Amino acid sequence: MNSNRSIRFKPYIMILPALLLVALFSYIPFVLTFLNSVHSVSLGGERLAFVGFSNYRRLFSNPSFHASLSNTLRFTLFFVPTNIIVTLSAALLSNRKGWLANLNRIFFFLPMAVGMSSMLMILKMMFNPTIGIINRLIGINIQWFNDPDAAMALLVVAGVFLGIGFDFLLFSAALRNVPNDLKEVALINGANGFQIFRHLELPLIAPTLVFIVVTNIKNAMLISAPVLILTEGGPFRSTQTLVYQMYLEGFKSGNYALGSAIAIVVFLLTFTALLILLHLERRRIYYQ
Amino acid sequence: MKRFIILATIALLTIPMLFAQARKESEPYTTITWWHPNSGLAGTASEELIETFNRTVGKELKIRVEGVYQGKANDVLTKLKPILQSKDQRDLPDLAQLDGSAVLDIRDAAQLITIDELAKDDPGHLSRIVEATLNSITYRDRILAMPFNASTILLYYNKDAFAKAGIDRPPRTLDDVKTAAAKLRQTDDKGRTTFWGIANVPTTYELMVWLGHQNGLTYLTDYENGHTGAPTKVLFDENGTMVNFLTRWQAIYDTGSLANLTSDLNGAFASGQVAMILASTSNLSTIASMVGDRFEVGVANMPMVDENATGGVNVGGGAIWAFDTGKNNQRAIWEFLKFATGAEEQLKWHIATGYFPVNVDTYELPEFKAHLQENPLFGVASRQLMDSNPKLQGLWVPSAYQIYYAFQSGILKMLEEKQTPQEASRAIADEINGYLQEYHLMKAR
């Protein structure tokens, strides 16, 4: 009886530490954030009165929020395909034998070893229109921090650069797991490189691809660090994303109610996007 | 969430304190910390200031100052706010150097020690501080902080380009700016501008002056720009100052010689892409060293919006705020503040950075006069301020970041989407009124 009970409780005790951490860092803050978003909250962070959805109503009529929403969606739209094409090509390039391929692998993986903030500071210097090396190399005077389109492009470049190491690693591993004998069979049957990729490798790495798309969308919707360090939302709010505006409202202006409302909106948007994607995945992807 | 962050921060910060305790007890010194945003030339200058203090006055009075660079002025504020809200005293710095955007967040903090309190038994020193700088940090008759890195906005211009375009003096009004910009503009064979007359997208910093100095003195919001209470609405749309300004700004844009740059303006100016920029006096040393001997830099008063705009400029920059850390450091704090704003130290600070001296005695020092003679550009800033209406004050508003972008985006929208100045003024006013009302929602129960 006694040992029986301890067996019954054992799994719960074992997940308790993880559960506590998740509750402490995710669930409780989530509930508090939601509560803040339907209350008026003082500068000191105390909830003053229940106001229903009026924070959301004010938010949706705020021009700054419109800008954030469209910037975030635009960024996601540019970033996700760019990132996947770049990291997948890199993985394909280094997916062969020989020391050159190994060297490639190291180079593509290396960015992961650099701290995010320091890398962004370096990018900021490199893209400086007057003293930066990028404009000098390409020979055109692009105002990276003054032209809204260039600033958005810069964010995408920064995003890809930050993500390349990890996504490359995942693609590399997936590509290596494609059985070699299948490739040989395809080659003997006269398939060219593209056909092998399209009909053999792509279906087999599809689960990884979906995982990367999902995490990329999540990362893109939540992008804030590059904005904070590189552009501070400028020029003219053209790179102000939802999470950056949340930071502005919540931490710079002390407007916790509005900041929380933005957080909830970001959560719902990201969550919906991911649900749709996971639903598609279940119908289309076959695991080995 | 917030409480948790605060608790975690406190936990992280208190652990090292367990170890620090042993060292402290053997030390007869009172140690005070100073969080500051000074980097580059100003960073070196503030390190020297601390070093001099610790070596001289500090040694005598057993006070030691520790400077901590905390990022830009805004970052200092971001780091300070959670500690103030946690009502915890131990993690507070004794001193924090902040700019005008901090006033709203800090003026009501219980831990704040105002300068009046610090100077209670020793009021002599305050009479030596430039009055306009004290006014600039006074809220409802309380001097909130000690003016330290005071500056005003200036017009920087490329003297060589002006001479080449046949212009013999810097513009006095925005109409002059328009005329000069048109003459300065250079284009390539496809008609694209290769050299701009002026680069700027006016926002809070410029508009405090360009709206404020109209008709001698005009406030941007009620409660005198927030200096007598929390503003509830803007005034610039009702009194027509914004429309008046925007009409003239549109005219400058129509010359094709106005570049809508918002970042790296110093770089664009120094590399010879634009003939005029507006920047703080504190950029003087930096800009001069960036330009080197490529061309001769000139500085002039901020151009007036029109002939009636006689208010001049306001004091910008920052001040040092004092906090009660529960260690009874008031005397040490006051000694250091007196030292930092003393005649000699303000002279060194002025020469190193371009911030103008906040101590009236500095202006009488022979070294100051000699420096001015060698570097006449430095004199323009202080003369401009002396000629200004001392009631012209900076804008103290909540959501300063959003308001900054509201001005900037609103003006760009007018220029690029062909709005009338009236429409633009209305739209900017509506957006900013929204932010001002947000603040009152956060206070009312």
Side-chain angles (χ1 to χ4, degrees):
Chain A
M1 182 67 201
N2 213 349
S3 72
N4 211 348
R5 183 183 291 170
S6 77
I7 285 173
R8 202 147 30 104
F9 284 122
K10 204 173 163 190
Y12 297 103
I13 293 172
M14 291 181 90
I15 62 166
L16 193 66
L19 203 64
L20 269 180
L21 282 178
V22 176
L24 207 60
F25 285 102
S26 298
Y27 299 151
I28 296 176
F30 181 82
V31 173
L32 290 180
T33 305
F34 178 74
L35 283 179
N36 279 346
S37 79
V38 290
H39 284 80
S40 58
V41 183
S42 79
L43 272 168
E46 301 141 290
R47 281 185 286 282
L48 298 173
F50 179 77
V51 293
F53 287 102
S54 85
N55 289 329
Y56 291 91
R57 266 202 298 279
R58 288 204 317 283
L59 187 65
F60 288 127
S61 63
N62 179 337
S64 178
F65 177 72
H66 298 162
S68 307
L69 197 61
S70 99
N71 292 336
T72 308
L73 296 180
R74 256 181 338 132
F75 176 79
T76 309
L77 218 60
F78 295 139
F79 167 76
V80 177
T82 317
N83 191 41
I84 291 200
I85 290 170
V86 171
T87 47
L88 186 55
S89 321
L92 284 170
L93 264 180
S94 61
N95 184 35
R96 57 187 76 181
K97 293 203 174 68
W99 65 274
L100 262 178
N102 274 333
L103 199 66
N104 268 344
R105 216 167 285 147
I106 293 171
F107 278 135
F108 287 128
F109 183 63
L110 215 54
M112 240 182 109
V114 186
M116 183 176 68
S117 309
S118 18
M119 189 193 290
L120 289 171
M121 296 298 275
I122 294 168
L123 279 182
K124 193 171 182 175
M125 293 302 276
M126 287 169 64
F127 280 90
N128 182 302
T130 344
I131 57 166
I133 191 169
I134 301 285
N135 271 0
R136 178 136 322 167
L137 281 182
I138 55 179
I140 341 172
N141 183 17
I142 300 178
Q143 287 288 339
W144 292 102
F145 299 97
N146 281 310
D147 176 351
D149 295 330
M152 183 53 89
L154 172 63
L155 274 194
V156 173
V157 171
V160 171
F161 211 61
L162 285 177
I164 195 167
F166 191 63
D167 293 346
F168 165 78
L169 201 67
L170 292 174
F171 272 133
S172 267
L175 281 171
R176 276 210 229 179
N177 280 338
V178 176
N180 251 332
D181 37 358
L182 286 185
K183 277 200 248 177
E184 277 164 26
V185 171
L187 271 175
I188 291 167
N189 283 303
N192 62 23
F194 177 74
Q195 284 168 325
I196 292 181
F197 170 70
R198 171 69 189 81
H199 297 289
L200 182 65
E201 287 176 326
L202 197 58
L204 286 175
I205 64 165
T208 309
L209 182 66
V210 169
F211 174 76
I212 291 179
V213 171
V214 169
T215 49
N216 274 351
I217 289 181
K218 184 209 79 170
N219 289 344
M221 299 287 281
L222 301 182
I223 184 184
S224 56
V227 180
L228 198 66
I229 298 178
L230 285 177
T231 62
E232 297 189 43
F236 316 107
R237 290 192 180 127
S238 65
T239 58
Q240 175 182 300
T241 60
L242 287 168
V243 176
Y244 183 67
Q245 193 191 353
M246 177 185 88
Y247 167 77
L248 284 186
E249 299 287 358
F251 292 90
K252 294 276 188 201
S253 308
N255 195 340
Y256 297 109
L258 219 57
S260 304
I262 300 176
I264 298 291
V265 171
V266 178
F267 167 75
L268 289 178
L269 277 175
T270 315
F271 195 57
T272 318
L274 296 188
L275 278 185
I276 294 173
L277 213 78
L278 289 175
H279 177 72
L280 287 177
E281 181 221 357
R282 227 166 276 142
R283 291 181 42 194
R284 297 279 168 83
I285 306 284
Y286 299 98
Y287 290 88
Q288 291 176 41
Chain B
M1 173 77 185
K2 199 186 57 88
R3 183 171 301 166
F4 173 73
I5 292 179
I6 292 162
L7 283 175
T9 320
I10 293 170
L12 283 173
L13 290 171
T14 40
I15 292 164
M17 277 175 61
L18 294 173
F19 301 96
Q21 207 57 43
R23 206 197 60 181
K24 257 183 210 160
E25 272 166 349
S26 62
E27 239 177 39
Y29 276 87
T30 312
T31 304
I32 56 175
T33 37
W34 172 27
W35 286 9
H36 66 75
N38 306 319
S39 61
L41 293 172
T44 323
S46 54
E47 272 164 34
E48 269 171 27
L49 169 69
I50 292 172
E51 204 266 322
T52 319
F53 178 81
N54 286 342
R55 207 184 47 220
T56 57
V57 181
K59 197 168 179 189
E60 215 170 281
L61 301 172
K62 300 265 180 263
I63 303 166
R64 179 169 293 150
V65 177
E66 280 175 9
V68 185
Y69 171 70
Q70 291 281 25
K72 287 181 279 188
N74 234 305
D75 300 322
V76 181
L77 177 63
T78 311
K79 289 170 188 171
L80 197 61
K81 262 185 350 189
I83 311 181
L84 288 174
Q85 285 173 0
S86 77
K87 313 267 186 265
D88 187 90
Q89 291 183 307
R90 279 176 309 179
D91 299 324
L92 273 174
D94 299 280
L95 297 166
Q97 184 182 338
L98 300 157
D99 63 17
S101 63
V103 174
L104 250 86
D105 290 306
I106 301 201
R107 68 182 176 210
D108 298 322
Q111 302 96 322
L112 176 71
I113 317 174
T114 60
I115 299 303
D116 309 285
E117 289 168 51
L118 286 171
K120 207 167 48 200
D121 307 320
D122 185 10
H125 183 69
L126 283 186
S127 66
R128 311 316 304 154
I129 302 297
V130 175
E131 199 192 339
T133 65
L134 284 176
N135 282 343
S136 78
I137 197 73
T138 300
Y139 177 69
R140 291 183 176 161
D141 300 325
R142 292 192 308 158
I143 303 170
L144 299 173
M146 193 63 163
F148 175 64
N149 50 323
S151 63
T152 62
I153 192 167
L154 272 183
L155 177 81
Y156 289 73
Y157 66 101
N158 181 330
K159 273 195 171 169
D160 295 5
F162 267 61
K164 221 171 98 187
I167 312 165
D168 54 354
R169 56 193 172 89
R172 212 171 64 86
T173 63
L174 285 186
D175 286 338
D176 296 344
V177 171
K178 183 186 75 181
T179 322
K183 283 187 198 162
L184 287 159
R185 179 175 180 232
Q186 290 167 23
T187 52
D188 61 9
D189 41 9
K190 289 188 191 121
R192 284 179 305 207
T193 308
T194 54
F195 184 74
W196 305 84
I198 181 167
N200 189 264
V201 184
T203 179
T204 322
Y205 189 48
E206 292 84 3
L207 293 173
M208 284 193 285
V209 174
W210 272 332
L211 301 181
H213 75 187
Q214 289 188 42
N215 308 316
L217 174 69
T218 310
Y219 292 113
L220 278 69
T221 69
D222 55 357
Y223 291 100
E224 304 186 2
N225 284 359
H227 283 247
T228 57
T232 59
K233 60 168 187 168
V234 300
L235 302 175
F236 57 72
D237 60 326
E238 295 166 13
N239 60 28
T241 49
M242 185 60 123
V243 171
N244 186 26
F245 165 73
L246 289 177
T247 311
R248 287 158 209 279
W249 195 249
Q250 176 77 55
I252 298 174
Y253 184 70
D254 290 340
T255 62
S257 195
L258 166 66
N260 288 323
L261 299 187
T262 58
S263 104
D264 195 36
L265 282 109
N266 294 355
F269 178 72
S271 62
Q273 297 167 31
V274 51
M276 288 180 273
I277 58 167
L278 298 158
S280 157
T281 48
S282 62
N283 287 3
L284 192 49
S285 305
T286 311
I287 291 180
S289 72
M290 279 170 87
V291 172
D293 47 16
R294 259 178 283 190
F295 57 84
E296 195 185 341
V297 180
V299 296
N301 283 4
M302 176 85 166
M304 300 151 72
V305 170
D306 54 30
E307 291 297 334
N308 294 327
T310 52
V313 293
N314 64 296
V315 177
I320 304 182
W321 299 66
F323 299 99
D324 183 0
T325 51
K327 292 180 218 131
N328 220 358
N329 284 349
Q330 275 86 332
R331 191 188 63 93
I333 290 173
W334 181 236
E335 286 302 330
F336 177 66
L337 286 180
K338 277 203 303 192
F339 181 80
T341 54
E344 311 274 316
E345 291 307 317
Q346 279 292 308
L347 174 71
K348 289 190 217 162
W349 176 247
H350 165 69
I351 292 173
T353 62
Y355 286 111
F356 64 79
V358 298
N359 193 311
V360 288
D361 297 331
T362 309
Y363 297 85
E364 305 305 325
L365 293 176
E367 295 99 313
F368 176 80
K369 289 176 180 158
H371 178 253
L372 213 56
Q373 210 124 56
E374 278 169 47
N375 308 277
L377 299 187
F378 277 85
V380 179
S382 36
R383 264 201 309 279
Q384 176 178 228
L385 184 69
M386 301 306 158
D387 294 342
S388 296
N389 185 339
K391 296 211 76 176
L392 188 74
Q393 296 295 348
L395 190 59
W396 288 351
V397 282
S399 297
Y401 242 76
Q402 283 91 333
I403 288 175
Y404 175 94
Y405 276 122
F407 279 129
Q408 213 178 52
S409 325
I411 290 177
L412 184 80
K413 209 168 166 182
M414 173 189 86
L415 299 178
E416 292 192 339
E417 295 176 17
K418 307 261 178 295
Q419 282 181 340
T420 63
Q422 285 77 9
E423 285 165 346
S425 167
R426 187 72 255 158
I428 297 170
D430 283 347
E431 188 178 346
I432 294 177
N433 279 336
Y435 292 123
L436 298 182
Q437 282 146 21
E438 282 283 331
Y439 183 76
H440 289 276
L441 287 177
M442 288 187 260
K443 291 203 321 188
R445 189 169 271 277

